[in-house]
Amino acid sequence: IVLNSKATSLRSAEIRRALNQAVNRESVVQNALNTYGIASSGPIWPRYWAMANDLPSFGFEPRHAADVIARSPRAAGQRPGRLRFTCLVPPDSLNERIALEVKRQLEAVGVDMVLEETPQDQMMQRAAKGDYEAMLIEMISGPTLLRPYLIWHSTGQLNWGRFGNATIDTALDRVRHAPTDNEFRL
């Protein structure tokens, strides 16, 4: 699920971190995908050969997430103690199952994630305009960094959502131009 950091309800980095901590990725794989998949914590395949084992990641911490969400300021029209945002979801049963599982988990920490079924072409149009709060999209990372580079580099050909910043670009370019495996390792 891609969160729009420019959306009023999701502007706070602390809120976005809490949302990440509220989702048990293993349960999503178990319940929504019937164990067909691998829980991921980022845009790079979790079993990528150059991925360091000690990188920081979001752990499943629902109590902490609930505390952060409960004490965060609310946008106009939101219920006290609850966070509300809309998530665009492609119209198919797999994405619906994933969205419903995440929605269930977020409800447990005080978040109302409203699901809006949206055709893929409309999702891409809205993403390009920044007209969304969150969207469930498939981002296959695979066994190389080609796809993450094309999606997350600010000039990437598949960066329809205008993701990225100078820090991400520098890291991706450093890896892209690394002359040795040791310099390539993340």
Side-chain angles (χ1 to χ4, degrees), residues 2-19:
V2 175
L3 305 174
N4 185 349
S5 62
K6 294 177 181 150
T8 303
S9 60
L10 301 171
R11 193 168 288 144
S12 163
E14 187 177 33
I15 288 290
R16 293 191 310 275
R17 279 191 294 273
L19 292 171

Side-chain angles (χ1 to χ4, degrees), residues 46-118:
R47 296 183 181 164
Y48 189 60
W49 70 271
M51 180 80 83
N53 293 329
D54 59 349
L55 290 175
S57 64
F58 293 106
F60 178 52
E61 299 179 41
R63 285 188 181 163
H64 180 261
D67 290 344
V68 168
I69 289 162
R71 72 173 193 270
S72 69
R74 295 286 159 252
Q78 293 204 6
R79 290 181 7 202
R82 305 278 303 172
L83 171 69
R84 184 178 192 274
F85 68 91
T86 300
C87 181
L88 308 180
V89 180
D92 64 66
S93 62
L94 177 62
N95 286 310
E96 181 179 307
R97 286 193 313 268
I98 293 169
L100 288 172
E101 175 64 20
V102 172
K103 177 182 174 64
R104 182 188 63 74
Q105 291 183 27
L106 292 178
E107 283 175 349
V109 299
V111 177
D112 298 321
M113 183 172 81
V114 178
L115 304 180
E116 180 181 327
E117 187 176 284
T118 308

Side-chain angles (χ1 to χ4, degrees), residues 93-156:
S93 62
L94 177 62
N95 286 310
E96 181 179 307
R97 286 193 313 268
I98 293 169
L100 288 172
E101 175 64 20
V102 172
K103 177 182 174 64
R104 182 188 63 74
Q105 291 183 27
L106 292 178
E107 283 175 349
V109 299
V111 177
D112 298 321
M113 183 172 81
V114 178
L115 304 180
E116 180 181 327
E117 187 176 284
T118 308
Q120 284 282 14
D121 60 332
Q122 289 179 22
M123 285 179 67
M124 296 303 111
Q125 290 169 3
R126 289 180 65 178
K129 295 179 199 170
D131 180 24
Y132 69 99
E133 290 178 294
M135 63 174 55
L136 177 66
I137 56 174
E138 184 176 331
M139 289 187 143
I140 299 171
S141 55
T144 72
L145 289 181
L146 176 61
R147 285 186 183 119
Y149 185 93
L150 294 173
I151 293 167
W152 296 103
H153 195 282
S154 62
T155 62

Side-chain angles (χ1 to χ4, degrees), residues 44 48-50 144-157 167-186:
I44 299 171
Y48 189 60
W49 70 271
T144 72
L145 289 181
L146 176 61
R147 285 186 183 119
Y149 185 93
L150 294 173
I151 293 167
W152 296 103
H153 195 282
S154 62
T155 62
Q157 295 171 345
T167 303
I168 293 170
D169 288 353
T170 299
L172 288 169
D173 288 335
R174 186 186 54 125
V175 168
R176 180 179 180 201
H177 298 292
T180 68
D181 281 354
N182 283 338
E183 291 180 47
F184 184 90
R185 290 185 193 284
L186 304 170

